[in-house]
Amino acid sequence: MAGVEETRKPVLEVVQAEGADEGCVTFVLHEEDHTLGNSLRYMVMKNPDVEFCGYSITHPSESKINFRVQTRGNLPAVEPFRKGLNDLTEVCQFVLDTFEARVKEFKDQEAAMD
């Protein structure tokens, strides 16, 4: 509709209890499901400074994840979360590049056989 702005939810929200340290944070990821949740949990847990990492989906009809990170020492939870996202992006890019290269090889072999 003309003149009506659509209110968009943020993709990511940070929820932290008042007075809690930065090492214990819940991130709310909107429009996501187990595909990202489980993969990201795996990547974040590879960090030895992470004491706890887990996620939950509040309800099957909602597409959002509550993703919790708790770190050891004074490390802010946002750092391993960000590193996990970056590492996961790199892994996905590698898989995509490898897949595209193999598809090209296959098509080139088919063309050579014709």
Side-chain angles (χ1 to χ4, degrees):
M1 295 179 125
V4 177
E5 282 190 35
E6 186 178 315
T7 306
R8 293 180 52 150
K9 283 189 214 175
V11 176
L12 174 68
E13 291 178 64
V14 178
V15 180
Q16 188 173 3
E18 192 172 321
D21 66 351
E22 294 180 341
C24 189
V25 177
T26 298
F27 303 92
V28 180
L29 295 104
H30 294 275
E31 303 302 321
E32 294 297 343
D33 58 15
H34 291 288
T35 305
L36 177 65
N38 197 37
S39 302
L40 183 56
R41 182 196 59 78
Y42 174 78
M43 297 305 278
V44 172
M45 281 303 296
K46 289 174 68 173
N47 186 331
D49 293 324
V50 173
E51 186 173 357
F52 173 81
C53 178
Y55 74 96
S56 64
I57 295 181
T58 55
H59 191 274
S61 67
E62 292 182 307
S63 46
K64 72 177 184 179
I65 295 174
N66 291 328
F67 195 90
R68 183 107 170 137
V69 178
Q70 185 173 337
T71 59
R72 294 181 176 91
N74 295 327
L75 180 69
V78 72
E79 289 183 24
F81 180 74
R82 183 177 290 128
K83 182 177 181 342
L85 286 169
N86 290 334
D87 291 350
L88 186 57
T89 300
E90 289 175 14
V91 168
C92 290
Q93 189 61 54
F94 176 78
V95 169
L96 179 63
D97 292 346
T98 303
F99 175 76
E100 289 173 344
R102 297 303 177 258
V103 168
K104 184 181 180 315
E105 286 176 17
F106 178 76
K107 287 183 178 179
D108 290 347
Q109 282 179 348
E110 277 193 332
M113 292 170 48
D114 290 337

